Amino acid sequence: MFLDDEIAESRTRRNEARWGMYLALAALAACIVMIVGLMTQASAQTANPQPQQMAGYVRPNDMGTGALLFPSKEPGYFVEAPRLATDVQIDVNGPIMRTRVTQRFENPSKGWVEGTYVFPLPDDSAVDTLKMQIGERFIEGQVKPRQAAKEIYEHAKAEGKKAALLEQQRPNLFTNRVANIGPGETVVVQIEYQSGVRQSNDAFSFRFPMVVAPRYNPQPIVQTVDLDSRSGYAVSDPVPDRQKIEPPVLDPRENAKINPVTLTVNLKAGFPIGEVTSAFHEIDTVTTDQLSRKITLKAGSVPADRDFELGWKAVEGKSPYAGLFRETVGGKTYLMSFVTPPVTATNADKLVKREVVFVIDNSGSMAGPSMEQAKESLALAISRLKPEDRFNVIRFDDTMTVHFPALVEATPDKRENAIAFVRGLTANGGTEMLPALEAALRTQGPVAPGALRQVVFLTDGAIGNEGQLFQEIQNNRGDARVFTVGIGSAPNSHFMTKAAEYGRGTFTLIGSESQVAARMGELFTKLESPVMTDISATFEGAATGDITPNPMPDLYRGEPVVLTAELAGEAPEGKIRIVGKAGDQPFRVEMDIAKAASGEGIAKLWARRKIDDLEASASAIADPASLDSQIEAVALAHHLVSRVTSLVAVDAAPSRPSGENLSETDLPLNLPAGWDFGKVFGQKPDANGTVDEREASATSRTKLAMMTADRMLAAPTARAAGLIAEANNQVNLPQTATEADKQILIGLMLLAFALVAGSTFVFWRGQIAALVVSGVRRHGR
């Protein structure tokens, strides 16, 4: 019996050894498979680094603080967007302003980035300076032909050098690209420009734009053409640069506002200052002397979501009537003159019969306060019509309605009918402005004898196809005059100003409902008063100079004659004479050039206005290359940014190490204050995944091509990271996939099997041992 027990125990030991060997082999196989997988993964990372190694890419769950993230080409990974803060200093000296805009681009990510920022400036700004600060060094930018500047920038970017490129997309819309901002770095870019103060009646003002409003860009037009008996297609794009003027826009319903701005104004009016007001921001004003004020924002800084407007008046009886300023640059003399015709010269009591076509924009971008301002303004204008006047009302979004079949007499019932129509309008849809303008200029019939045709256009001007509108006004205005009324917190002032200039009308800004009565009152005065026409300027006893603007525009009551001129020589003598007619009354003034006051920046203003004159003459110049050459010559001579010239600044030494990836990001903008994001970009789907068809309008279909923000949190304690997603939300899949993940998984499964088998073996071994001991004891008894 004992022999049998020994045999059994020996067999048990052999089974234990066999099971141990099996377990060891399983564990060894698991380890080998995992090691191979890890080695494969490491090799793949060396050949094709993971996003974290390539450009500081992150996942939202990795973020310990709130951040704004852009999607990368690697699925599931994002890049932290650069942060922007802006400081503005405006120095006003009489009718001339010098503005310095300091933009601080901060890269919070762990990778290298290039940031592109789309920002507005006044449409008459003469941009001449770009400085890039790196540490304690300032790098001065140089004006180059546009293509040459771009090539210099791209070459520097590829070499890893810090570089900045400032380009004009519209006279009031610029882009600033800054390349090779390192992890955690801040790059400071300073821009400076010259501009003029606006005067109307006895009030002086300027407007500093802070945000680019989203613009509606009509889709390209595809036409069938026949060439050599074959059919083909021709594509005409009314906004060929649409991608450059469509920055990402944050949804204010879910995002904190970004891009803080601080602002200081040093106001030296040149006359005793009375009242100083800010229409849209609270300010602190410090009186330095009778002629000067220092103005700052009461809040310290404000988000860039609406324009800043400052106005001031002279102490009663001290408002200047005329002024002449002079600057000598490069052996030439530059003059700036302004003259305000006396009110008596306008013969205001002589009113003419009017034919007024009112055009009101009720597209999605007008939703909210803008629509209420526009409706209130238009209702007030209609109520001011006289029975002998004739009028009509046109409204437009991506559709159009002409309210009356033709011009009707402004009888009380017709006025009430039109006002009811206006008050019933709601803001939706796209901004197809061209058909409405065509209807106003082409379909209202001939002008009655002795009548004055006026087209009053109320809109925010949020379009990208300005050129089409300008051409329509220039070609089909006839005897009509076009008046523009800019509505909202960030109107497109370039479109408004030029449309009124080409239409021989005037431009009025209304930024809040509190301004409706006063601003429309000023407009009514201009609409109902004779125009100052036949304005010209000549030199007496001096060499003929190059005067801008040319031709001189018509003026309305309270508007000054403002001109700049270039004269040969550093000390010209003689007089400048300005003449014109106000109604049937002549007007004339003469000013002695030798008595002109000293002024800085006049040469820049002359050059900017000279470029405007050349741009306005584009339709009359058969050779576009010749026009571009003339503009380039003026811009380079005066170191100005224009449509054909740009400012570029490049650091001498590379900063981005070779092999480090560079991520490109567009800095997002706030939605202008008062705008309705859903009406502009379309509503988000409801729980069933559907949206209202009217809300998903033409403007939504176009503007959703822009990147929009889903989430953004400003404070570092924010609970989650924000995301900006492209409309198509497409990502590139990895191109170097390996079997590493599968091998590691198989290894883990084998190791798990070994552990389970080992545990089972230990359990049964204990059971068998217990049985053997029990048998021995029984036989021993």
Side-chain angles (χ1 to χ4, degrees):
M1 299 297 292
F2 286 106
L3 181 59
D4 293 337
D5 291 338
E6 289 177 359
I7 293 172
E9 186 174 356
S10 176
R11 186 179 297 120
T12 299
R13 290 193 187 99
R14 288 198 300 272
N15 289 335
E16 289 177 359
R18 188 180 299 113
W19 275 100
M21 182 180 67
Y22 292 159
L23 292 174
L25 289 173
L28 179 61
C31 291
I32 291 173
V33 171
M34 285 193 296
I35 290 171
V36 171
L38 290 171
M39 291 177 64
T40 304
Q41 187 179 55
S43 176
Q45 288 177 340
T46 301
N48 183 34
Q50 285 296 305
Q52 299 97 314
Q53 296 173 327
M54 289 166 49
Y57 289 0
V58 296
R59 295 180 187 269
N61 291 337
D62 298 334
M63 302 301 297
T65 63
L68 182 63
L69 306 181
F70 285 89
S72 73
K73 295 181 180 180
E74 298 294 334
Y77 288 91
F78 298 81
V79 180
E80 283 190 77
R83 298 168 185 166
L84 178 73
T86 303
D87 178 72
V88 181
Q89 179 176 314
I90 302 173
D91 296 321
V92 180
N93 289 288
I96 305 169
M97 297 165 47
R98 182 73 178 177
T99 302
R100 178 189 299 142
V101 180
T102 303
Q103 300 170 344
R104 292 175 174 84
F105 296 86
E106 178 189 350
N107 175 18
S109 75
K110 298 178 181 178
W112 291 80
V113 299
E114 174 194 22
T116 299
Y117 178 49
V118 181
F119 63 100
L121 290 178
D123 55 280
D124 67 338
S125 55
V127 182
D128 60 4
T129 300
L130 170 69
K131 295 179 182 178
M132 181 170 60
Q133 182 181 5
I134 303 172
E136 299 299 321
R137 295 182 296 120
F138 275 93
I139 301 170
E140 190 85 19
Q142 297 297 316
V143 171
K144 301 286 185 182
R146 188 178 182 117
Q147 185 58 35
K150 183 177 180 181
E151 290 173 359
I152 292 171
Y153 174 82
E154 293 293 346
H155 185 69
K157 181 176 75 171
E159 289 187 334
K161 298 177 181 178
K162 284 183 172 56
L165 178 65
L166 180 67
E167 295 181 303
Q168 175 186 303
Q169 309 303 337
R170 299 288 188 278
N172 67 331
L173 185 61
F174 294 77
T175 54
N176 196 2
R177 297 171 62 189
V178 182
N180 294 311
I181 310 175
E185 275 191 331
T186 297
V187 174
V188 178
V189 176
Q190 284 188 348
I191 299 163
E192 296 185 26
Y193 65 87
Q194 207 80 10
S195 59
V197 171
R198 182 175 183 270
Q199 180 184 351
S200 181
N201 295 311
D202 60 347
F204 299 81
S205 65
F206 70 82
R207 195 177 183 102
F208 177 76
M210 289 190 181
V211 63
V212 175
R215 299 190 178 194
Y216 178 87
N217 297 318
Q219 294 301 305
I221 302 169
V222 181
Q223 295 176 322
T224 303
V225 295
D226 292 326
L227 296 173
D228 298 331
S229 302
R230 293 177 298 173
S231 295
Y233 296 95
V235 179
S236 174
D237 191 347
V239 194
D241 61 347
R242 63 182 67 231
Q243 293 182 344
K244 295 182 179 180
I245 62 172
E246 293 181 336
V249 179
L250 297 181
D251 186 345
R253 299 170 298 186
E254 301 180 1
N255 306 296
K257 293 181 179 180
I258 59 171
N259 299 350
V261 177
T262 58
L263 185 144
T264 301
V265 180
N266 297 311
L267 173 60
K268 296 181 179 179
F271 52 77
I273 301 173
E275 181 184 22
V276 177
T277 59
S278 171
F280 313 121
H281 297 85
E282 292 187 349
I283 58 173
D284 286 326
T285 302
V286 176
T287 300
T288 52
D289 57 53
Q290 193 179 20
L291 309 180
S292 306
R293 301 287 188 276
K294 182 177 182 179
I295 296 99
T296 55
L297 296 169
K298 185 178 287 293
S301 67
V302 295
D305 67 345
R306 70 179 311 148
D307 295 352
F308 174 83
E309 182 181 286
L310 189 75
W312 62 96
K313 292 184 177 182
V315 172
E316 187 173 355
K318 298 294 183 179
S319 184
Y321 159 70
L324 182 63
F325 299 85
R326 179 173 64 182
E327 180 185 32
T328 301
V329 177
K332 295 182 179 180
T333 297
Y334 294 87
L335 301 176
M336 180 177 185
S337 169
F338 72 90
V339 178
T340 304
V343 173
T344 54
T346 61
N347 195 14
D349 295 331
K350 184 178 179 181
L351 303 179
V352 297
K353 181 179 179 180
R354 297 188 297 140
E355 297 179 345
V356 189
V357 182
F358 298 104
V359 184
I360 183 170
D361 177 355
N362 70 302
S363 63
S365 64
M366 293 283 289
S370 294
M371 194 71 243
E372 297 307 313
Q373 294 163 23
K375 291 195 293 186
E376 184 179 348
S377 300
L378 183 48
L380 190 58
I382 294 172
S383 68
R384 286 280 296 253
L385 294 172
K386 295 176 174 55
E388 59 270 21
D389 295 332
R390 296 199 301 161
F391 79 107
N392 206 341
V393 178
I394 300 173
R395 68 103 215 142
F396 72 93
D397 45 33
D398 52 290
T399 62
M400 181 185 67
T401 301
V402 181
H403 185 53
F404 297 115
L407 289 169
V408 298
E409 292 184 351
T411 57
D413 60 323
K414 293 297 185 183
R415 294 201 303 266
E416 291 176 7
N417 178 281
I419 290 173
F421 169 72
V422 170
R423 294 200 186 281
L425 295 177
T426 58
N428 276 301
T431 314
E432 291 288 352
M433 191 177 294
L434 184 58
L437 183 61
E438 291 173 342
L441 296 178
R442 302 188 195 183
T443 67
Q444 300 304 304
V447 180
L452 176 62
R453 177 72 57 85
Q454 297 171 332
V455 176
V456 181
F457 218 102
L458 296 95
T459 177
D460 56 17
I463 55 169
N465 61 323
E466 296 99 327
Q468 282 187 313
L469 280 296
F470 297 154
Q471 187 174 6
E472 173 64 23
I473 295 171
Q474 287 177 305
N475 294 343
N476 298 297
R477 180 183 63 84
D479 294 328
R481 295 178 181 271
V482 178
F483 297 78
T484 55
V485 181
I487 302 292
S489 59
N492 181 356
S493 60
H494 166 58
F495 166 72
M496 303 290 193
T497 302
K498 282 299 177 184
E501 182 179 313
Y502 293 142
R504 304 186 73 178
T506 189
F507 168 40
T508 302
L509 272 171
I510 297 177
S512 66
E513 289 190 49
S514 63
Q515 293 182 322
V516 170
R519 296 286 170 89
M520 289 303 290
E522 293 177 9
L523 176 60
F524 298 148
T525 299
K526 294 172 182 177
L527 290 171
E528 297 166 359
S529 300
V531 182
M532 185 172 176
T533 60
D534 301 331
I535 302 172
S536 64
T538 56
F539 292 97
E540 180 183 345
T544 301
D546 192 338
I547 298 175
T548 64
N550 183 24
M552 298 291 292
D554 294 341
L555 296 176
Y556 294 81
R557 175 185 273 194
E559 294 183 336
V561 180
V562 180
L563 62 85
T564 58
E566 180 190 58
L567 296 173
E570 297 186 358
E573 297 180 351
K575 296 180 179 180
I576 182 170
R577 176 186 298 154
I578 301 173
V579 298
K581 289 172 57 179
D584 56 2
Q585 299 296 314
F587 170 78
R588 171 174 171 167
V589 66
E590 291 182 349
M591 289 179 284
D592 192 339
I593 296 175
K595 295 181 179 179
S598 176
E600 294 184 5
I602 299 173
K604 303 285 188 183
L605 292 180
W606 174 86
R608 174 73 260 178
R609 294 179 182 184
K610 179 64 177 180
I611 291 172
D612 287 345
D613 286 349
L614 290 170
E615 294 282 18
S617 67
S619 59
I621 298 179
D623 182 11
S626 174
L627 172 65
D628 290 352
S629 179
Q630 294 179 58
I631 294 173
E632 182 180 297
V634 176
L636 291 177
H638 293 269
H639 205 258
L640 295 183
V641 175
S642 68
R643 179 176 55 82
V644 298
T645 55
S646 303
L647 269 165
V648 61
V650 177
D651 195 7
S655 58
R656 175 168 56 90
S658 177
E660 287 284 351
N661 190 50
L662 181 67
S663 300
E664 299 178 3
T665 60
D666 293 329
L667 275 72
L669 305 181
N670 296 313
L671 190 71
W675 282 44
D676 187 322
F677 190 90
K679 294 293 181 71
V680 176
F681 293 99
Q683 300 294 335
K684 291 187 176 182
D686 58 20
N688 299 321
T690 61
V691 296
D692 182 84
E693 287 299 324
R694 183 59 175 166
E695 300 293 352
S697 59
T699 189
S700 305
R701 291 191 295 271
T702 297
K703 289 185 175 180
L704 279 176
M706 289 191 253
M707 293 190 297
T708 58
D710 289 334
R711 291 180 180 84
M712 182 197 155
L713 299 171
T717 57
R719 57 186 176 84
L723 305 177
I724 286 186
E726 295 187 40
N728 58 13
N729 200 29
Q730 294 179 350
V731 294
N732 295 329
L733 296 176
Q735 301 300 308
T736 54
T738 69
E739 296 290 327
D741 291 344
K742 181 191 292 186
Q743 292 166 342
I744 294 173
L745 180 61
I746 293 173
L748 290 172
M749 292 175 64
L750 289 173
L751 185 59
F753 170 75
L755 292 174
V756 172
S759 300
T760 304
F761 170 72
V762 171
F763 173 76
W764 284 109
R765 181 177 180 279
Q767 295 296 318
I768 292 171
L771 289 174
V772 171
V773 172
S774 176
V776 171
R777 288 176 178 174
R778 283 200 303 272
H779 288 292
R781 289 194 185 103

